[in-house]
Amino acid sequence: MSHSSDRKTDDMKEIASRLVEMAGKSGAADADALAVNDVGENISVRNRKIESVEREESRGIGLRAFVKTSEGLAFASASSSDFSNDGMRKLVDQVIAMARISTADPDAMPPSGAEHPTTAELATWDDKHPVEIEWTLAAARQAALACEEAALDYSDKIENSEGAEAGFSRTHVAYASADNFRGKYQKSSLGLSLSVIAGTGDQMQRDYAYSRVQQVEKLKNPQMIGQEAAERAIRRVGARSISTRQTTVVFEPRMATSILGHLISAINGRSVLQKRSFLAESNGQALFPEFVQIEDNPDHPDGLGNRLFDGEGTRCRQRTIIDSGKLTGFLTDRYAAARLKSEPTGHARRGLTGDTGIGPSNLILHPGEMDVEAMLQEIGDGLLVTEMMGFGINGVTGDYSRGAAGFLIENGKVGQPVNEITVAGNLKKMFANISHLGSDLTWFGSTAVPTIAIADMTVAGQEG
Amino acid sequence: MERIAGISLPSSLTALDTRGGTDERLPPMKSSPQPNNLPVAEETLSQMLDKMVPTGADDADLYLEQSASESLALEEGRVKHVSASAHQGIGARVIRGEVSGHAYTDRLESPALMECARAARAIAESGARAQSVSIHPDRTDHQLYQPANPALTASMPERKALLEKLDRLARTLDPRVKQVFANVSTSFSSIHLIRMDGSHLHDARPLVRLNVSVVVEQNGKRETGSTGGGGRFDLTHLLKGDEAERLTREAVRLALLNLDAIPAPAGPMPVVLGPGWPGILLHEAIGHGLEGDFNRKGSSAFSGKIGQRIAAPGVTVVDDGSMPERRGSLNMDDEGTPTGCTTLIEDGILTTYMQDRQNARLMGVEPTGNGRRESYAHPVLPRMTNTFMLAGQDDPKEILSTLKHGLYAVNFGGGQVDITSGKFVFSTSEAYLIENGEIKAPVKGATLIGNGPDVLTKVSMIGNDLQLDPGVGTCGKDGQSVPVGVGQPTLKIDEMVVGGTDS
C-alpha cells in the first residue's frame, strides 16, 4: 500500500471529523459526515485503435446534521466539492439552517450510538483488503486491445465492434460521527468490457462480456472476455419471436441477478414501513422452496461489496436473508430497525447527500447441485433468458412484466434464438415457483448467483 | 462504474409519468443573462488551451460548470428530507478524427487545471499549436428560459407548505389513501464553454420538478400511483397555479384505478396510445436509433436508412431543443451549437440523424445541436432534447372507436431499447382493455415490445391532439442521465406484443 494513498484517506478523515466538530459547535445536536476522493482512468478502443482516453479526479464532502425541537429531532443534509475552510463553514451553516426548516420525526435516529467496529478491526481492515495500485492506463489499453482483437479474430461472423473499454478507479472514503467514531477505507475497481455485433442488416445482434474486480490478478483473461462476447453475439443471429405460452423460464446468472435485486428492494425495511413492498407482511414466511438459501456477506474474497461498517457506522455482519426458503427478517438501518422493533442489520447506505438508504453488501444465492445441462434436460421445454429490457415491475404488488431475448429450450437442449418477447408473472409467485438452481455460481461485482429456473411464467410473442 | 462494466443497455428512459400535460402559455422573457462570472481567470483558461490543443486538432473545448440543487421530500406526513448540493468542475477535451481525450477535475486552482489540460492532451502525439488564443465572448442564439436559480423564487418553508398541502389533499380525496410521497426539487447550472478558438459561450439552466406518488389500500390489497411535472421555469408555476393539485389528484386517481385492474392480456394486438407521455414510444423505438454515434459506427438498426421509409405516410417526427421552458430544451447544446427543430422523419421518410460535432464531422454533415453531457465530468454524446410526433387529422374518439379488441394505453413508466436489434419496450401504468370500441376494464401494468424500424409503419391513425409530456423524462445512455421531453398525438398501431399474464 502506498503512503500517498494512506495520506489521502487520512486527509479525508481529518476533513470529515472537522465537519462534525464544526456542526456541533454551531448548534447541531448530532451529526455525521462523509468525505470522498475518487480518481479514475478509462480507455476505450474500437476496431483495434484507441477511441478515447478519460481521466477524472473528484472530491466531495457531505454533512448530515440534527437539531432538537419540541417534537423531537429534525435533520437535513448537504454536499459540496469545496474543501476550503470557507466552503466547510458555509456547508455547516446551510445544513443547520435547513434542519431547522425540516419537520421533526419523533422516531428520528441520530448517528450517535451505533454499534461500531472496534479500533483493532478498523486498524486491520485495509491490510486485509488491499487495493489495486499497479494497473496503469498502458496496461488497460493493452487489455482492451487484446480483448477486442480476440473477438474480431474469433469468427468472420463478427461484423462490427462497439469497442472495448478498460478502466480503473480508486476511492478513498472517510466517515465521522458525533459519538467520536472515525472510520476510513479505500476501494479499487477495475473493469474490462467489450460489446460486438454479429450479423448484418435486420439481423444484427449485439452482445457483451465483461469482468469487474477489485484486483488485477482476479481480472478475467481479456481474450476470454473477447471470445465470450463474440460467441454470445453470434449465437443470437437468426432470432425471431415465438407464440404466446405458459412455460418454465430459465434465467442465466447474468439475468438472475435482477431477480435477487427485486427481492432486496422488497425486503428493504424502509419500504416495508411505508407499505411500498409486496413483502411487507411476509416476515418469517416460506417465500421460496426449501432449497433456496440467500446470504449477505460483507467480507467475501470474491465480492466487490465488502465493508466493515455501514453508512451510519454500524459494524456489518454476515446474515442469512433466506434460510431454507424462509425470510428471516427485513434489511434495516437503525431508523427502520427501531420502528420495526428489530435489531439494526448494518445495511445503512449513505451518499454524500440525503438520508440513509438501505442496501446489501455482497449478496450470494447459494448454487444447486445440478449443472445447467442436466437442469435443462430435466426441464425439457422452456425459455432461456439471456437479456432483459425495461422496468415493468410494480414493487407494491410484485407484478412483473419485462422484455426479453434468449433461446427456446427444446427437448432439454438450447435451441432457436428468440427475441421481441415478454416474460411476465408476479414476483411472489415467481419466488415460490423456482424449480431449479444451477451449480454455476457466478459473481457480478457484489452479487453471486447461479442459473435460476422459474416454472409457469407467461411468455408473450408475435405468433398469435 | 456502469460505463466501465458495460452492463447497462445502450439506453433507457426511466421516469415517472403523468397523463397529458398542460402546455400553458409561457411568460415573456424579460431579464438579460447574468454577467458572465467566470470562476477561473481568462488567462488561466487561455493557458490551458495552449497546453492541451495539439497541432491538427479537429476540436477542443473547456466546459466549466457550477451547479446547485435543492430537494424537499415528504413522507408519512412530514417534510423530513431536506437536502442540497453544490458542485463545480471543469472538463477539458481534445478531439482528432475518431480519437478523443478527456480530463475532469473539480479543483479550480491553477496547478490542478494545468494537470487536467495535460491529461486531456494525452491522445496527441504532435506538438502544441504555435498560436495562443485570447478568450473572447460569443453569444447564444436563444433565451428560452430565465437564467436564474429557481430556488430563489420560493423559500424552503414555502416549498414545504406546498408539499404539506398536497399530502392533506391526497388524504382528503379518498380514505383509501394510506401513504403520500411528494418531492420538489430545483437545480441550476451555470455553464461556461470555451472553444478551441477562444470563443466563450455562457448558458444558465434552471430546472424544476415535482413528483407525487401515493399508496392506496382496500381490503388488504395495495396499489400505487405516481405523477410528476416540471420544466425550465421557476417555482411560481407550481406554487401559484393548480398544476401541483392536478398532479396530486391524478396520482390518487391512478392508484385507485389500479385497485380494480384485471391481468393484462398477453400476445399481439392492436394498441391505441394516448397523447403526451406515451410519446416515450418515439424516444425508444426510433429516437436512440437515430443518434449519430450509433449510425456512424453502423451499430444502429437504422444505419444507412436515410431516405428510406421507416414510418407510415403522415408520420412526421421532430427533435426540438428550442422550445421555451421545456425540460429537454437548451439555449445551446453542451458544445455551443444552437439548438433548433430537427425533422427526423418527414411523412414517413427518414431524413436526419441527431448529431454532436464529432460525429457530424466524421459523417460529413452539420451538427444539429444534440451534443449533450450529464455534467463537466462526462463526455459529450449525441442525445435527444424534446422528441415528438406532429399532429394528424383524426379525432381521438374516432380512433378509439375503431378498436375491436385491443389495448388503450394512456400512461407509461419507463422504456428501453436495444439499438442494434431495434427491439424496444415501454411499460404501461394506465391501460384499458377495449372491446368493440368500449372500455371494458383497466388492466395491470404490462410491458409492450416492438421492433423500432417497423413499428411506425404500423401506425394507421394519427390524432389531431398533439400533447407534450408534463416534464418528467430522464434519459439514460452510457451511464449518463439528461433531462428530455417527449410528445405525440393519440396514435393507433395495428399490432404490438402486449406482455401481460392473461394468455
Side-chain angles (χ1 to χ4, degrees):
Chain A
M1 194 180 309
S2 82
H3 287 291
S4 73
S5 227
D6 248 0
R7 198 171 310 132
K8 237 176 221 169
T9 36
D10 283 340
D11 286 352
M12 292 299 112
K13 191 165 108 171
E14 168 66 25
I15 297 268
S17 305
R18 264 176 52 207
L19 272 175
V20 168
E21 282 154 21
M22 284 164 76
K25 282 181 192 145
S26 300
D30 213 313
D32 63 0
L34 213 55
V36 182
N37 185 311
D38 256 313
V39 180
E41 289 193 78
N42 204 33
I43 187 158
S44 63
V45 303
R46 180 169 174 266
N47 291 335
R48 307 174 205 260
K49 284 189 295 209
I50 293 177
E51 192 173 51
S52 89
V53 180
E54 274 182 83
R55 180 188 157 79
E56 179 183 6
E57 172 151 25
S58 70
R59 302 178 305 172
I61 43 176
L63 174 70
R64 192 169 63 130
F66 291 70
V67 295
K68 273 200 186 98
T69 78
S70 55
E71 276 107 57
L73 290 171
F75 76 94
S77 66
S79 68
S80 150
S81 52
D82 187 348
F83 278 57
S84 68
N85 272 331
D86 259 11
M88 285 168 64
R89 165 55 47 203
K90 255 191 226 158
L91 184 70
V92 169
D93 290 346
Q94 182 188 24
V95 175
I96 290 175
M98 284 173 16
R100 296 197 199 285
I101 292 166
S102 179
T103 306
D105 181 348
D107 299 308
M109 184 58 73
S112 294
E115 187 218 337
H116 301 302
T118 64
T119 320
E121 287 170 329
L122 283 166
T124 53
W125 177 264
D126 273 358
D127 291 337
K128 288 184 188 159
H129 300 82
V131 296
E132 178 60 48
I133 53 170
E134 296 302 327
W135 226 41
T136 60
L137 207 53
R141 181 179 67 185
Q142 212 171 9
L145 285 168
C147 177
E148 196 204 34
E149 184 157 39
L152 294 176
D153 292 348
Y154 180 79
S155 157
D156 56 9
K157 289 179 182 143
I158 297 300
E159 301 278 350
N160 199 348
S161 168
E162 290 199 297
E165 237 179 280
F168 54 92
S169 67
R170 280 175 219 119
T171 309
H172 303 267
V173 185
Y175 172 82
S177 59
D179 59 355
N180 278 322
F181 176 69
R182 305 286 182 264
K184 56 166 186 159
Y185 58 90
Q186 307 175 44
K187 270 197 166 183
S188 59
S189 165
L190 279 82
L192 174 59
S193 70
L194 169 70
S195 171
V196 290
I197 294 170
T200 53
D202 293 344
Q203 263 306 332
M204 278 202 295
Q205 296 288 350
R206 173 200 53 90
D207 215 320
Y208 62 89
Y210 73 97
S211 171
R212 194 158 70 89
V213 295
Q214 189 149 354
Q215 283 175 300
V216 70
E217 60 264 26
K218 291 202 172 151
L219 194 71
K220 252 198 227 166
N221 178 308
Q223 279 88 0
M224 277 172 60
I225 296 172
Q227 287 166 11
E228 185 190 343
E231 243 164 66
R232 290 183 64 100
I234 290 166
R235 67 176 187 162
R236 289 178 67 171
V237 175
R240 56 173 176 79
S241 193
I242 51 170
S243 60
T244 301
R245 63 191 73 186
Q246 293 292 124
T247 192
T248 296
V249 176
V250 179
F251 296 86
E252 67 169 8
R254 192 189 280 195
M255 294 298 114
T257 54
S258 67
I259 307 282
L260 216 50
H262 303 320
L263 168 71
I264 294 305
S265 305
I267 61 168
N268 176 316
R270 292 204 177 208
S271 302
V272 167
L273 277 175
Q274 296 160 353
K275 310 255 187 258
R276 279 209 258 200
S277 161
F278 66 96
L279 297 180
E281 280 86 26
S282 299
N283 196 5
Q285 287 181 14
L287 296 175
F288 294 86
E290 227 182 314
F291 58 83
V292 175
Q293 195 80 7
I294 301 174
E295 71 167 304
D296 182 62
N297 188 337
D299 193 0
H300 192 288
D302 296 323
L304 255 62
N306 288 333
R307 57 190 187 194
L308 176 59
F309 56 90
D310 75 356
E312 47 188 357
T314 300
R315 196 203 186 291
C316 296
R317 292 201 161 79
Q318 191 278 345
R319 178 183 176 85
T320 301
I321 293 173
I322 300 292
D323 192 9
S324 302
K326 281 202 184 78
L327 176 63
T328 61
F330 300 112
L331 302 187
T332 56
D333 59 350
R334 293 170 64 239
Y335 176 81
R339 284 192 53 192
L340 290 165
K341 303 191 170 38
S342 62
E343 287 301 308
T345 60
H347 286 99
R349 274 259 168 113
R350 231 207 111 177
L352 285 177
T353 323
D355 195 7
T356 51
I358 290 171
S361 58
N362 296 303
L363 270 181
I364 303 158
L365 168 56
H366 291 200
E369 314 257 290
M370 224 182 244
D371 66 32
V372 175
E373 225 165 85
M375 190 173 141
L376 297 184
Q377 275 300 332
E378 207 170 280
I379 289 163
D381 292 304
L383 175 77
L384 172 67
V385 169
T386 59
E387 183 153 305
M388 276 190 284
M389 279 198 284
F391 312 92
I393 290 131
N394 183 331
V396 174
T397 61
D399 289 330
Y400 181 97
S401 165
R402 298 189 72 188
F407 300 86
L408 277 180
I409 303 165
E410 296 162 303
N411 301 319
K413 297 260 185 289
V414 176
Q416 168 69 36
V418 295
N419 67 5
E420 208 174 337
I421 55 169
T422 58
V423 292
N426 180 279
L427 283 166
K428 204 164 176 179
K429 284 188 197 140
M430 286 163 63
F431 293 161
N433 284 349
I434 290 181
S435 63
H436 298 77
L437 294 176
S439 57
D440 54 339
L441 185 76
T442 313
W443 277 93
F444 300 92
S446 59
T447 307
V449 280
T451 296
I452 301 179
I454 301 179
D456 201 25
M457 291 191 70
T458 308
V459 175
Q462 215 162 27
E463 288 170 27
Chain B
M1 217 53 105
E2 281 242 307
R3 220 159 45 74
I4 294 177
I7 51 173
S8 63
L9 285 162
S11 65
S12 66
L13 186 73
T14 52
L16 297 175
D17 57 317
T18 180
R19 185 167 185 193
T22 52
D23 195 7
E24 61 275 353
R25 289 278 15 108
L26 303 159
M29 292 294 167
K30 287 184 296 271
S31 76
S32 57
Q34 290 176 319
N36 293 352
N37 287 325
L38 265 170
V40 176
E42 285 189 356
E43 302 75 60
T44 310
L45 296 170
S46 175
Q47 279 168 24
M48 282 182 79
L49 285 178
D50 287 349
K51 224 181 186 67
M52 70 187 234
V53 182
T55 52
D58 286 314
D59 209 350
D61 55 25
L62 298 169
Y63 185 93
L64 246 162
E65 179 183 36
Q66 294 170 292
S67 68
S69 60
E70 294 183 8
S71 165
L72 281 84
L74 171 142
E75 65 180 43
E76 299 184 291
R78 297 188 183 95
V79 181
K80 59 178 188 178
H81 301 288
V82 180
S83 61
S85 72
H87 292 271
Q88 60 178 23
I90 191 165
R93 71 172 181 156
V94 179
I95 294 175
R96 180 198 268 162
E98 294 185 62
V99 187
S100 57
H102 309 259
Y104 320 112
T105 182
D106 54 11
R107 299 183 189 209
L108 301 186
E109 317 91 67
S110 201
L113 291 175
M114 293 309 146
E115 171 58 24
C116 179
R118 192 201 58 76
R121 193 182 179 283
I123 56 157
E125 291 117 27
S126 56
R129 65 176 176 182
Q131 251 168 337
S132 165
V133 295
S134 64
I135 310 297
H136 57 275
D138 197 351
R139 289 195 69 84
T140 55
D141 286 16
H142 317 294
Q143 187 70 54
L144 300 171
Y145 31 77
Q146 299 283 358
N149 189 342
L152 301 173
T153 55
S155 68
M156 279 196 174
E158 284 176 285
R159 280 174 264 167
K160 178 181 174 183
L162 169 71
L163 299 180
E164 288 167 341
K165 185 176 83 177
L166 301 181
D167 178 67
R168 283 192 303 272
L169 171 66
R171 290 173 195 276
T172 320
L173 284 172
D174 198 292
R176 289 171 290 180
V177 172
K178 298 297 175 200
Q179 297 283 339
V180 181
F181 308 91
N183 172 325
V184 58
S185 59
T186 60
S187 78
F188 183 60
S189 72
S190 168
I191 285 141
H192 293 275
L193 184 75
I194 319 292
R195 291 165 117 168
M196 187 164 73
D197 63 2
S199 59
H200 169 199
L201 288 149
H202 179 244
D203 194 8
R205 302 168 177 168
L207 193 63
V208 162
R209 177 155 171 175
L210 173 73
N211 292 322
V212 182
S213 79
V214 302
V215 175
V216 296
E217 193 175 327
Q218 176 180 289
N219 305 327
K221 190 177 168 190
R222 283 189 204 110
E223 259 297 353
T224 178
S226 297
T227 55
R232 299 198 183 278
F233 39 66
D234 65 35
L235 285 163
T236 49
H237 248 74
L238 294 175
L239 288 164
K240 299 275 153 53
D242 56 5
E243 178 67 0
E245 289 186 19
R246 193 188 67 78
L247 291 172
T248 306
R249 289 175 194 279
E250 189 61 10
V252 172
R253 184 188 68 79
L254 272 173
L256 294 174
L257 179 88
N258 285 330
L259 277 176
D260 298 323
I262 60 170
M269 63 191 64
V271 173
V272 171
L273 300 174
W277 177 249
I280 183 174
L281 162 81
L282 306 170
H283 181 100
E284 305 299 356
I286 57 131
H288 280 295
L290 299 184
E291 289 166 343
D293 47 353
F294 302 122
N295 288 290
R296 170 174 67 83
K297 296 174 185 176
S299 62
S300 164
F302 292 94
S303 299
K305 291 203 160 139
I306 294 272
Q308 293 184 21
R309 173 165 300 283
I310 60 164
V315 172
T316 295
V317 180
V318 302
D319 182 82
D320 189 350
S322 62
M323 307 172 85
E325 301 195 330
R326 280 271 145 206
R327 184 170 161 86
S329 296
L330 301 168
N331 287 322
M332 59 173 194
D333 74 0
D334 292 319
E335 304 181 294
T337 307
T339 52
C341 182
T342 306
T343 302
L344 306 174
I345 300 174
E346 187 158 16
D347 202 16
I349 308 296
L350 174 58
T351 55
T352 321
Y353 298 129
M354 288 168 275
Q355 300 288 4
D356 62 352
R357 284 164 63 92
Q358 184 188 17
N359 287 291
R361 188 183 319 106
L362 292 168
M363 290 184 82
V365 296
E366 288 301 308
T368 54
N370 290 89
R372 302 184 65 182
R373 61 204 296 178
E374 180 183 314
S375 78
Y376 74 90
H378 296 86
V380 171
L381 297 169
R383 302 294 293 264
M384 284 172 263
T385 60
N386 303 297
T387 313
F388 56 96
M389 186 187 294
L390 302 188
Q393 310 287 327
D394 299 314
D395 175 358
K397 285 202 189 88
E398 199 191 308
I399 296 176
L400 202 58
S401 73
T402 65
L403 205 54
K404 292 276 171 291
H405 170 83
L407 195 75
Y408 176 44
V410 290
N411 257 314
F412 283 86
Q416 208 166 19
V417 58
D418 178 332
I419 303 293
T420 303
S421 72
K423 307 298 180 253
F424 71 95
V425 294
F426 55 143
S427 305
T428 67
S429 57
E430 179 185 5
Y432 304 88
L433 193 62
I434 303 290
E435 298 285 358
N436 297 316
E438 302 282 325
I439 289 180
K440 198 179 155 207
V443 297
K444 285 171 175 280
T447 289
L448 272 52
I449 189 160
N451 183 35
D454 68 27
V455 69
L456 293 186
T457 62
K458 298 177 185 167
V459 169
S460 58
M461 296 179 90
I462 304 171
N464 56 14
D465 56 342
L466 167 64
Q467 274 185 29
L468 298 172
D469 79 279
V472 289
T474 298
C475 168
K477 173 176 170 179
D478 240 357
Q480 291 194 49
S481 296
V482 297
V484 295
V486 297
Q488 68 176 30
T490 296
L491 278 189
K492 184 179 179 189
I493 298 172
D494 285 342
E495 187 183 274
M496 277 200 84
V497 172
V498 178
T501 54
D502 193 12
S503 51

